[in-house]
Amino acid sequence: METFFLAISFIIAAGVLPFLFLRSSRLMRGSAVIMTAAGGLTGLLFAARAMTTATPPAATFLLPGGLRVLMQVDAVSAFFLLPIFLVAPVAALYSFHYTRAQGPRAAAGYLFFSLLTAAMAAVVCAADITGFIIAWELMSISSFFLVIHDFGKKESRRAGYIYLLFAQAGAMVIFATFALAYGKSGSLDFASFATMPAQARILVFVLAFIGFGSKAGIIPLHTWLPHAHPAAESHVSALMSGVMIKMGIYGMVRFYAILRPPGPGCAMLLILTGAVTGVLGVVLALGQHDLKRLLAYHSVENIGIIVLGLGIGMLGAATGHPLMALLGFAGGLLHVLNHALFKSLLFMGAGSVQRGAATLNIEQLGGLMKRMPLSGTCFLAGSLAICGLPPFNGFVSEFLVYSGGFQGVANSEAQMFTALAAVISLAVIGGLAVACFTKVVGVVFLGEPRSEKAKIAPPAGRCMQAAMVLLAVACLGIGLGAPWFIALARRAAGPLLATPTPMPAPLDTAAYAIALAAAGFLLLLAILAAGRGLLAHGRPAESATWGCGFSSPTPRMQYTGSSFAAEIVGFYRPFVIIRRDFSGIHGLFPPLSSFRSHTIDLVELGIRRWLARSVMALTGKIRWLQHGHIQLYIAYIFFAMLGLLLWLMV
Amino acid sequence: MSHCADICLALIFLSVLLGMAANRLMELVKIMAFQGTIVSILPVLLEAGQRDAAGLGFMAVMLTVKGLVMPLALYAAIKKVANLREVEPFVGYRASIFSALALVLAAGFIDRTLAPFMPPTHVMLMPASIATIGAGFFLMMARRKAITQVIGYLMLENGIYLTGIALAGETHSQRLLEFGVLLDLLAGVMIMGIIINRINQTFDDVDTGMLGSLRD
């Protein structure tokens, strides 16, 4: 456990040191990067050791006021430490060039960045209510400050407000969960919650699912994500989307491991939520114009996949199919790690685009592969990974979830329908994700630049490129080393399973087959590339493409992202509203006309229109209480005190 | 000595009645000085009072703060803002006196109900302190000017001080309480001073009613 605290100290130092070097921006950023890297490496070392030891490391210490905090790192905790300590240093490295132009204010960013990292590590390791709540709130608040880093902008403040609202509403439900669990079990330790009666355990789990779901971004609690991520800086988005929302998943996993709610009800809740979250997330992503908003919706989608995996695992456990449980849990957990890697990679790619072309609007970009080849290639790698295509890591975890689902279809008659629904929604999600990233890569990186800024976009800074290459290599590495990482995920899923379940031989060989096929595919690609270089030496032939008969084509005539996605999004119209403003074309010599379309998130609209409006109407009725007269405010205090006194006396 | 204490307590009741009935600010300040003085010397006059050097020294400090410094500060503040004469009540003067009498009655009632839970102390001490607290609140609630809120706060503090005397058999703990309250008071008065200054600058008046236009 000392190693863990050493890592945390390094990371806290990364937040404090920049304040000593406010004069020298380079020294400031450098100190933060180096300390975060040191903390990350130490933390990874600790997590690796904690995964392999039989007795989980634990620590207890007392807070002032006599509160006892218990920390324990079992395989699940250690597994969740991996993305934290992997992504944080890489994101810090990325920030070295990303925050170059910020001046001394970057120090504040580094402080909250390090606090967020440390708080997440503490969340994962906390084993009682006290420690967990402190770490959880620290995490929420430090990330709130990261979201409003650009507090001069109105959108940033609004995004921060929405984020705070959702984070604290979720925290409130989590507190209610804890209160209920404490009331029923009479103990602050997580481990003792297991002794509660079955009904209470189900209730506590459902409450925890809602509370943690708000952090994870399950639909309908996802609306903060598409606001917060475009507002935050890219390395922050990478950490928040890649790692922080996984803390919500961690909460669900932890509570499942403790409570083991009986019956298939909870599992079906997770599968249903996962399917809705995944499909709607990706459909909403398709309709976005802002690159970071689009990626935020993809985070929602991937949370859906993870929740689906967990749901399949729980269903397997509830219906007595240990193999299905193993595959579901291992797939879901491995997808946590995978998503952390490729989503942070994609957010960093979006950040490079933003720094280069000064916009995130997809319709104004284009042709960036020529301007920033390395960033573009890394983004492409991340896109392939997020679509779940081999040889990248997304495929491995989704393969596990699929296998779990098919186990359910094949073996469990009672739950066949649920398992089948899970498999089908996974397939739909995968297909739509491919369409979405075809759109992104095609419109942003291929074709011709659609704006002047995109035409002259400089390549990303060296550290930004290095960070992206690191992550892309990691994505590829997990794809190539599938058997080892599946074994890792199986070890992490250990505490979730009632009995240790061995992997059956066919699946074990399948893991090796995945790795071999991925390696073979890469080899083939390399041979083809080399052959092309040898045979077609010299420059490729240049000629005009078919321009649809236009005599002088302009970049504006290119297929736009919206038109690419319109057909698919239109199919899901009941769930996604497309709003079009078209001025129309009138007369033989039409004047300037305009067309604008944007998709509306039905859930967000619903929250705003029904929930927020009714609450406002209700609170509007008691608004006269706030009138601005100090005398009456004092009267409120006086009569409240008097009332309390009388209440005590009676 | 007990007689002196009784006389002091009677004077405190009188100051409460006068304070709530006062219609001029200067009058109110004088009443505050009077009340502050009485309240400061009361602990020495009680039977259980500490009459050694420490006790007397503490009395001297209190006397300076409550009887001299605070009233002078108020006096200076009123002089500084030119058009400060009347206290401008929300509740009329007759109704204020009536409320003061009701308050004294209520204080007696509360004291009787609380008596079983309290350490034994001088007979009228608790009602006096409750009445003073109530009067402080009344001044804060029922007067328009911001400066009367400060005065109300000071009177509230006097009441808390009296309660402290009543509650504390041990004089040291009472002093601890008093210093805590004094610090509180300092912060409170400073904040109020700043607010008065700001209101005055913004609206050319110290009428807190104007603040109503600032609500969202």
Side-chain angles (χ1 to χ4, degrees):
Chain A
M1 213 61 197
E2 284 75 23
T3 328
F4 176 75
F5 290 118
L6 183 67
I8 295 293
S9 320
F10 274 133
I11 284 169
I12 298 282
V16 179
L17 271 183
F19 284 96
L20 302 179
F21 305 120
L22 284 176
R23 292 278 175 79
S24 156
S25 169
R26 184 174 280 270
L27 207 57
M28 173 177 91
R29 289 173 288 135
S31 62
V33 173
I34 289 168
M35 290 318 267
T36 314
L41 286 177
T42 322
L44 280 178
L45 197 73
F46 168 75
R49 263 209 314 234
M51 293 271 328
T52 46
T53 50
T55 49
T60 314
F61 51 93
L62 283 170
L63 292 181
L67 286 170
R68 194 177 59 97
V69 170
L70 185 68
M71 297 185 104
Q72 196 179 34
V73 187
D74 62 355
V76 177
S77 301
F79 184 80
F80 274 88
L81 282 176
L82 293 179
I84 297 172
F85 288 130
L86 262 175
V87 174
V90 181
L93 175 68
Y94 179 86
S95 74
F96 184 78
H97 272 119
Y98 187 84
T99 58
R100 189 166 29 182
Q102 268 183 13
R105 207 149 71 90
Y110 280 119
L111 174 66
F112 291 118
F113 187 87
S114 80
L115 277 180
L116 174 60
T117 313
M120 287 193 298
V123 162
V124 169
C125 296
D128 68 351
I129 292 178
T130 322
F132 191 91
I133 283 180
I134 293 171
W136 186 266
E137 282 300 300
L138 187 63
M139 174 179 88
S140 289
I141 289 166
S142 50
S143 52
F144 163 72
F145 281 108
L146 285 171
V147 171
I148 58 163
H149 187 74
D150 271 338
F151 55 81
K153 283 193 206 144
K154 197 169 172 229
E155 305 91 72
S156 290
R157 293 198 301 268
R158 192 177 127 78
Y161 179 67
I162 293 174
Y163 171 54
L164 194 67
L165 218 61
F166 272 89
Q168 294 311 87
M172 208 164 71
V173 181
I174 294 171
F175 284 11
T177 314
F178 285 157
L180 189 68
Y182 176 68
K184 289 278 177 192
S185 69
S187 164
L188 288 170
D189 291 354
F190 282 169
S192 57
F193 294 171
T195 55
M196 291 190 291
Q199 290 294 322
R201 277 183 298 162
I202 292 177
L203 187 62
V204 168
F205 181 77
V206 172
L207 268 179
F209 178 64
I210 296 169
F212 290 119
S214 161
K215 181 62 85 188
I218 56 169
I219 286 176
L221 303 169
H222 68 286
T223 46
W224 63 269
L225 275 150
H227 290 281
H229 287 310
E233 296 174 290
S234 287
H235 59 283
V236 172
S237 299
L239 189 68
M240 279 176 72
S241 184
V243 188
M244 194 193 72
I245 60 172
K246 306 305 180 340
M247 295 302 116
I249 299 289
Y250 168 77
M252 295 173 197
V253 171
R254 174 57 67 204
F255 268 76
Y256 175 75
I258 300 161
L259 298 168
R260 298 186 185 281
C266 290
M268 278 153 95
L269 174 72
L270 256 73
I271 289 178
L272 182 73
T273 319
V276 170
T277 305
V279 175
L280 280 190
V282 69
V283 171
L284 283 163
L286 260 168
Q288 301 306 316
H289 306 303
D290 183 301
L291 187 52
K292 276 181 141 185
R293 258 181 96 88
L294 182 146
L295 291 177
Y297 274 115
H298 269 289
S299 294
V300 175
E301 171 231 316
N302 276 280
I303 289 294
I305 295 177
I306 294 167
V307 171
L308 263 177
L310 297 179
I312 289 174
M314 283 168 62
L315 192 65
T319 53
H321 292 93
L323 183 57
M324 182 181 169
L326 170 69
L327 288 169
F329 286 134
L333 288 176
L334 189 56
H335 204 70
V336 166
L337 179 61
N338 288 343
H339 181 249
L341 294 175
F342 56 66
K343 185 45 66 72
S344 31
L345 168 59
L346 288 170
F347 266 115
M348 289 175 190
S352 310
V353 169
Q354 188 180 19
R355 277 282 179 271
T359 180
L360 278 171
N361 189 345
I362 293 174
E363 315 296 10
Q364 289 181 10
L365 297 165
L368 288 178
M369 193 62 106
K370 288 172 219 156
R371 301 294 314 171
M372 33 177 77
L374 196 59
S375 306
T377 314
C378 289
F379 194 93
L380 179 64
S383 307
L384 291 172
I386 200 173
C387 294
L389 296 175
F392 290 97
N393 54 354
F395 176 74
V396 181
S397 44
E398 286 195 33
F399 175 78
L400 286 178
V401 178
Y402 269 116
S403 312
F406 280 122
Q407 282 292 325
V409 174
N411 296 329
S412 146
E413 276 122 38
Q415 304 301 337
M416 197 195 99
F417 175 73
T418 320
L420 197 61
V423 170
I424 289 174
S425 42
L426 263 176
V428 172
I429 294 167
L432 290 173
V434 171
C436 189
F437 276 95
T438 311
K439 163 187 152 175
V440 175
V441 174
V443 176
V444 174
F445 289 101
L446 304 180
E448 289 295 316
R450 290 171 176 78
S451 67
E452 289 304 313
K453 285 265 175 64
K455 220 175 271 177
I456 53 162
R462 215 167 298 141
C463 283
M464 292 161 79
Q465 291 184 344
M468 286 189 281
V469 169
L470 270 175
L471 286 173
V473 168
C475 285
L476 197 60
I478 294 183
L480 289 174
W484 295 281
F485 286 95
I486 291 176
L488 185 77
R490 273 176 54 199
R491 193 179 277 278
L496 300 174
L497 300 166
T499 49
T501 315
M503 198 83 156
L507 278 166
D508 235 5
T509 42
Y512 282 103
I514 292 172
L516 267 180
F521 175 73
L522 275 183
L523 199 66
L524 193 69
L525 207 68
I527 290 170
L528 279 177
R532 201 177 139 193
L534 280 178
L535 293 176
H537 46 84
R539 294 166 54 77
E542 274 187 24
S543 68
T545 48
W546 164 240
C548 300
F550 292 112
S551 53
S552 57
T554 72
R556 292 186 57 195
M557 286 177 188
Q558 292 175 95
Y559 218 11
T560 63
S562 317
S563 45
F564 182 86
E567 196 202 333
I568 304 169
V569 179
F571 181 77
Y572 291 90
R573 200 168 302 147
F575 305 106
V576 189
I577 305 164
I578 308 175
R579 196 155 284 172
R580 291 194 171 87
D581 305 317
F582 182 36
S583 64
I585 296 172
H586 308 289
L588 288 176
F589 300 97
L592 207 62
S593 60
S594 68
F595 176 82
R596 178 199 295 271
S597 78
H598 60 275
T599 48
I600 291 169
D601 190 337
L602 200 66
V603 177
E604 198 179 336
L605 191 75
I607 287 177
R608 200 182 304 161
R609 190 164 286 175
W610 303 111
L611 192 70
R613 201 172 285 178
S614 51
V615 169
M616 289 296 275
L618 202 70
T619 50
K621 291 214 167 62
I622 51 168
R623 214 182 165 79
W624 54 268
L625 276 173
Q626 200 226 356
H627 38 64
H629 292 290
I630 291 184
Q631 285 87 357
L632 283 178
Y633 290 156
I634 295 168
Y636 293 160
I637 299 172
F638 180 69
F639 286 111
M641 275 179 12
L642 204 67
L644 285 175
L645 205 66
L646 287 173
W647 183 56
L648 275 180
M649 278 156 66
V650 174
Chain B
M1 278 309 209
S2 174
H3 286 296
C4 294
D6 277 336
I7 292 168
C8 277
L9 288 171
L11 289 176
I12 288 171
F13 274 114
L14 184 68
S15 71
V16 166
L17 288 172
L18 285 175
M20 280 169 76
N23 59 354
R24 280 165 190 280
L25 272 177
M26 276 309 171
E27 202 181 318
L28 198 54
V29 172
K30 281 174 201 153
I31 292 165
M32 280 314 295
F34 173 67
Q35 194 186 56
T37 314
I38 304 283
V39 165
S40 313
I41 57 174
L42 182 68
V44 188
L45 299 179
L46 288 172
E47 273 144 51
Q50 193 186 11
R51 277 178 285 273
D52 56 2
L56 289 174
F58 186 69
M59 184 197 84
V61 173
M62 280 298 130
L63 206 58
T64 327
V65 175
K66 283 185 191 297
L68 212 63
V69 178
M70 291 293 177
L72 279 178
L74 286 172
Y75 178 80
I78 292 168
K79 278 285 165 207
K80 206 173 168 188
V81 185
N83 53 356
L84 275 184
R85 288 282 182 272
E86 210 201 340
V87 291
E88 295 189 46
F90 285 123
V91 180
Y93 297 117
R94 249 169 250 283
S96 292
I97 297 176
F98 195 75
S99 312
L101 292 172
L103 185 68
V104 173
L105 265 182
F109 171 73
I110 294 173
D111 173 57
R112 217 184 56 196
T113 1
L114 284 182
F117 314 106
M118 301 280 289
T121 176
H122 202 86
V123 182
M124 285 310 276
L125 187 52
M126 244 350 246
S129 64
I130 293 167
T132 317
I133 291 175
F137 267 113
F138 183 85
L139 282 183
M140 280 198 265
M141 286 187 281
R143 302 286 182 259
R144 187 181 284 274
K145 294 250 164 75
I147 193 112
T148 39
Q149 256 123 53
V150 180
I151 294 173
Y153 197 82
L154 288 172
M155 201 178 269
L156 180 72
E157 204 277 331
N158 281 345
I160 296 170
Y161 182 61
L162 287 175
T163 319
I165 299 171
L167 286 178
E170 185 71 29
T171 36
H172 291 289
S173 62
Q174 184 232 323
R175 252 175 239 167
L176 209 65
L177 176 85
E178 176 56 26
F179 277 119
V181 171
L182 261 186
L183 202 69
D184 193 27
L185 184 77
L186 188 70
V189 170
M190 271 168 68
I191 292 167
M192 280 306 247
I194 294 165
I195 291 177
I196 292 173
N197 207 4
R198 277 299 170 90
I199 299 173
N200 198 23
Q201 275 174 8
T202 314
F203 300 108
D204 283 333
D205 202 339
V206 284
D207 186 350
T208 53
M210 302 263 194
L211 286 180
S213 62
L214 288 181
R215 77 199 178 100
D216 59 7

